[in-house]
Amino acid sequence: MIEVVAELSRGPVFLAGEALECVVTVTNPLPPTATSASSEALAWASAQIHCQFHASESRVALPPPDSSQPDVQPDSQTVFLPHRGERGQCILSTPPKILFCDLRLDPGESKSYSYSEVLPTEGPPSFRGQSVKYVYKLTIGCQRVNSPITLLRVPLRVLVLTGLQDVHFPQDEAVAPSSPFLEEDDSGKKDSWLAELAGERLMAATSCRSLHLYNISDGRGKVGTFGIFKSVYRLGEDVVGTLNLGEGTVACLQFSVSLQTEERVQPEYQRRRGTGVAPSVSHVTHARHQESCLHTTRTSFSLPIPLCSTPGFCTAIVSLKWRLHFEFVTSREPGLVLLPPLEQPEPATWTGPEQVPVDTFSWDLPIKVLPTSPTLVSYAAPGPSTSSITI
Amino acid sequence: MYTLLSGLYKYMFQKDEYCILILGLDNAGKTTFLEQSKTRFNKNYKGMSLSKITTTVGLNIGTVDVGKARLMFWDLGGQEELQSLWDKYYAECHGVIYVIDSTDEERLSESKEAFEKVVSSEALDGVPILVLANKQDVETCLSIPDIKTAFSDCTCKIGRRDCLTQACSALTGKGVREGIEWMVKCVVRNVHRPPRQRDIT
């Protein structure tokens, strides 16, 4: 019996382009003094990172996979296929790296090996949506001589920092300058340099503050003004907005604002059927604020962006976008009807009307959500950093 | 009478089974050769997408029937670290196919060194070796005489065994059938390594 343990030193969340580091420890757990002690042998171990793509058949119409040309030996137990037994298709994988060959372990002996691989930048982020899923794993294959290959799977979460190309970097803003020492020493600190660069870009993109005001109107007049300081956020940040209802000519009784993602299958891959068409667009609400606001002059809300959610992205098959979804309930009556009369010649009891004719309307404001530090995400959602298997 | 008929049945339908190792550096085209062989010799085998072949770690197994012989191909990973495992399969094999990338002139000496270790092993004494100069579909590839010159150091080590150098393209299939038919003839007549006999079940 041999025990194989894989440990991700920094947690299971990574930014595409970063190096993933994993320590694999192989142990013969028998105590050295055991009477039945014998050494154990392994032929080889290899590690590979891969991304599995799975699409809901009721929503996504994929081109039929070449059934006449299947994958080479998809179920083989003698060749290392990291996606063996996995659902969906493998859309991205790194080359296999051999950890060791011809390993012999005496009773009680342990050996550790280090695996390091840069996560490809051309892949999608990890995502578990309604229509599609992108799931990343590090898979370690081990084989004894003349035995099937045993697979040890380590789940990963990959964040992708794309979309920065269309974000305008503020020229005048004073953003923390990068350290010249880090830039010059490329080889030694390439990883921290990348993390630093990503951090700087995220800071620059999300720190641009200028008040954006939106007039909120329905068919009969102005309801109020919505103010928001940022349109680009990072995971974990709060979306803060203010509503000014004091100057409106239409009374607003109630409003709600939801932080949502919209998952949309690209037109060429949408499933179209005559009856029972599954929607190619689905929405998920991550946070919500609801308020009764009759007589409210000014109010604000704060909606947290969960660290476990997925930043916006776009692939050939699916896109994910973030937005603030507002719903307003407005009164059809002039505002004064809802107030007690100003002059009361004699004492009397006034009650509000039992029924008020209302209108509702909604409004969507798109925002952009970018990744944040993978270390921070690892802390917030502690997934397993250690996986093990016994051969 | 039953015993006689049973024996006759077994004699008519039994297949002699031979294990053939496919060796060579990584990216030489060993797995592509294996897939092409299965396509050409097995009527019911569905072709696969040759573009989907990636680096082999472990062992690809394929079976091919040629006449009364059944070839069990063992396609081993060719990465440098994995070559130390090759000799674990020598004792059980009946033939070796060594695949060379004819377009990779830079690694030709590396391939020769690996080949030298193969033919030097006593566990492979008398075992026929088919050398495939692969990727001959590429215009700029090395010719057979060029490759033979690069491998000339190994000639004395081949010794008393069948050896053939064959031009081939695993991608297009050229040279694959000829190579395998030659190998079948050699392993069948090699009395020093009798086949494993299996009844068809």
Side-chain angles (χ1 to χ4, degrees):
Chain A
M1 189 180 78
I2 292 182
E3 189 179 68
V4 185
V5 176
E7 181 173 10
L8 301 169
S9 50
R10 209 202 60 192
V13 188
F14 299 90
L15 207 57
E18 275 191 316
L20 180 154
E21 312 265 348
C22 180
V23 174
V24 180
T25 304
V26 194
T27 304
N28 182 347
L30 285 181
T33 54
T35 52
S36 63
S38 66
S39 61
E40 296 272 7
L42 276 182
W44 54 264
S46 179
Q48 205 171 347
I49 298 165
H50 59 108
C51 175
Q52 292 293 114
F53 163 76
H54 176 76
S56 160
E57 289 178 6
S58 60
R59 296 163 182 255
V60 185
L62 292 174
D66 291 325
S67 56
S68 60
Q69 293 194 327
D71 285 319
V72 181
Q73 307 191 23
D75 295 324
S76 170
Q77 290 198 344
T78 60
V79 69
F80 180 38
L81 299 167
H83 52 278
R84 184 185 86 211
E86 297 271 63
R87 215 165 54 132
Q89 46 180 290
C90 176
I91 59 169
L92 176 148
S93 69
T94 59
K97 287 190 173 177
I98 311 296
L99 302 178
F100 59 77
C101 231
D102 242 344
L103 173 68
R104 184 163 295 273
L105 290 173
D106 293 326
E109 191 181 1
S110 267
K111 284 211 167 104
S112 287
Y113 301 87
S114 172
Y115 172 81
S116 179
E117 180 65 88
V118 173
L119 283 151
T121 52
E122 67 271 13
S126 301
F127 179 60
R128 292 181 180 271
Q130 305 287 315
S131 302
V132 311
K133 293 178 171 57
Y134 294 110
V135 181
Y136 279 84
K137 285 174 188 175
L138 164 66
T139 297
I140 294 152
C142 299
Q143 190 185 25
R144 295 174 175 273
V145 180
N146 293 324
S147 294
I149 294 168
T150 306
L151 298 177
L152 170 58
R153 294 214 156 94
V154 184
L156 308 172
R157 187 174 160 208
V158 174
L159 303 168
V160 172
L161 188 57
T162 58
L164 274 178
Q165 287 74 25
D166 54 315
V167 173
H168 172 68
F169 284 93
Q171 302 296 329
D172 305 324
E173 292 276 344
V175 181
S178 59
S179 166
F181 303 103
L182 286 178
E183 300 229 22
E184 286 164 15
D185 192 3
D186 266 21
S187 56
K189 300 187 175 180
K190 185 175 182 180
D191 297 335
S192 61
W193 176 82
L194 177 86
E196 194 109 346
L197 177 64
E200 285 170 25
R201 289 189 176 178
L202 284 166
M203 185 72 66
T206 60
S207 68
C208 178
R209 284 182 143 265
S210 63
L211 182 61
H212 300 271
L213 290 176
Y214 300 87
N215 280 324
I216 301 170
S217 306
D218 69 356
R220 288 174 292 107
K222 182 176 177 179
V223 175
T225 305
F226 175 68
I228 192 168
F229 278 98
K230 302 206 299 181
S231 61
V232 186
Y233 297 86
R234 281 179 285 174
L235 290 181
E237 280 193 313
D238 291 351
V239 181
V240 177
T242 57
L243 266 175
N244 188 333
L245 303 167
E247 300 169 3
T249 57
V250 177
C252 184
L253 305 183
Q254 190 180 74
F255 80 92
S256 74
V257 53
S258 305
L259 180 63
Q260 292 184 343
T261 44
E262 177 185 274
E263 178 190 353
R264 181 183 294 267
V265 179
Q266 307 290 16
E268 54 263 54
Y269 292 101
Q270 289 172 11
R271 173 76 61 183
R272 287 177 237 272
R273 276 201 286 243
T275 54
V277 178
S280 57
V281 183
S282 49
H283 299 101
V284 173
T285 296
H286 300 275
R288 187 160 185 266
H289 175 87
Q290 181 173 318
E291 194 173 329
S292 297
C293 52
L294 180 62
H295 311 313
T296 299
T297 301
R298 184 180 185 89
T299 185
S300 66
F301 61 82
S302 175
L303 298 173
I305 303 175
L307 281 167
C308 58
S309 55
T310 305
F313 72 93
C314 182
T315 67
I317 296 176
V318 74
S319 71
L320 186 78
K321 293 178 180 174
W322 287 76
R323 69 182 192 186
L324 293 173
H325 176 69
F326 292 86
E327 288 179 5
F328 296 94
V329 180
T330 57
S331 167
R332 281 191 214 148
E333 301 286 342
L336 290 181
V337 174
L338 303 171
L339 293 172
L342 294 179
E343 297 179 8
Q344 295 185 71
E346 59 187 53
T349 301
W350 180 88
T351 60
E354 288 185 15
Q355 294 186 2
V356 180
V358 299
D359 283 321
T360 63
F361 69 97
S362 65
W363 173 52
D364 295 320
L365 177 66
I367 61 173
K368 197 181 286 284
V369 172
L370 301 177
T372 188
S373 157
T375 308
L376 180 59
V377 181
S378 293
Y379 289 148
S385 292
T386 302
S387 308
S388 68
I389 201 170
T390 299
I391 304 173
Chain B
M1 194 60 173
Y2 167 80
T3 305
L4 185 60
L5 283 181
S6 173
L8 179 64
Y9 176 88
K10 285 184 179 179
Y11 174 80
M12 290 183 64
F13 289 98
Q14 78 178 2
K15 294 271 182 182
D16 293 334
E17 200 170 272
Y18 301 92
C19 300
I20 311 293
L21 296 188
I22 306 179
L23 308 176
L25 298 189
D26 53 299
N27 201 45
K30 302 185 290 300
T31 305
T32 307
F33 172 83
L34 174 58
E35 292 302 316
Q36 191 68 254
S37 306
K38 294 196 284 185
T39 304
R40 301 215 152 211
F41 282 91
N42 294 338
K43 296 165 191 166
N44 299 323
Y45 182 69
K46 273 186 173 181
M48 83 308 151
S49 180
L50 293 174
S51 62
K52 286 186 175 178
I53 290 176
T54 56
T55 303
T56 301
V57 177
L59 177 72
N60 279 311
I61 297 179
T63 304
V64 159
D65 288 332
V66 186
K68 273 179 63 73
R70 168 166 290 171
L71 301 187
M72 282 257 296
F73 286 113
W74 290 338
D75 162 27
L76 301 177
Q79 286 187 56
E80 185 172 358
E81 301 99 322
L82 295 172
Q83 289 170 26
S84 62
L85 296 171
W86 287 358
D87 56 9
K88 296 188 186 334
Y89 299 88
Y90 289 171
E92 294 182 57
C93 84
H94 301 85
V96 167
I97 296 178
Y98 191 85
V99 184
I100 299 169
D101 183 346
S102 309
T103 66
D104 200 347
E105 190 162 5
E106 290 180 359
R107 298 181 72 196
L108 206 58
S109 59
E110 186 185 341
S111 184
K112 189 209 76 167
E113 283 167 25
F115 180 76
E116 195 160 10
K117 288 182 189 171
V118 170
V119 295
S120 301
S121 173
E122 291 179 2
L124 287 175
D125 270 357
V127 170
I129 295 182
L130 170 67
V131 179
L132 292 178
N134 193 24
K135 309 193 188 184
Q136 291 285 318
D137 55 298
V138 179
E139 289 206 3
T140 56
C141 73
L142 296 165
S143 66
I144 295 291
D146 292 334
I147 290 174
K148 283 189 170 179
T149 301
F151 277 64
S152 58
D153 295 11
C154 309
T155 307
C156 57
K157 294 189 169 64
I158 292 176
R160 300 177 63 253
R161 74 179 107 198
D162 293 309
C163 186
L164 173 73
T165 304
Q166 165 92 36
C168 95
S169 165
L171 214 55
T172 66
K174 173 177 171 280
V176 169
R177 174 172 287 273
E178 296 91 316
I180 289 182
E181 285 172 350
W182 175 86
M183 177 61 76
V184 168
K185 273 188 285 182
C186 293
V187 297
V188 165
R189 76 178 176 221
N190 184 2
V191 297
H192 303 293
R193 297 233 173 179
R196 317 192 317 194
Q197 285 184 343
R198 294 288 161 86
D199 294 328
I200 299 173
T201 53

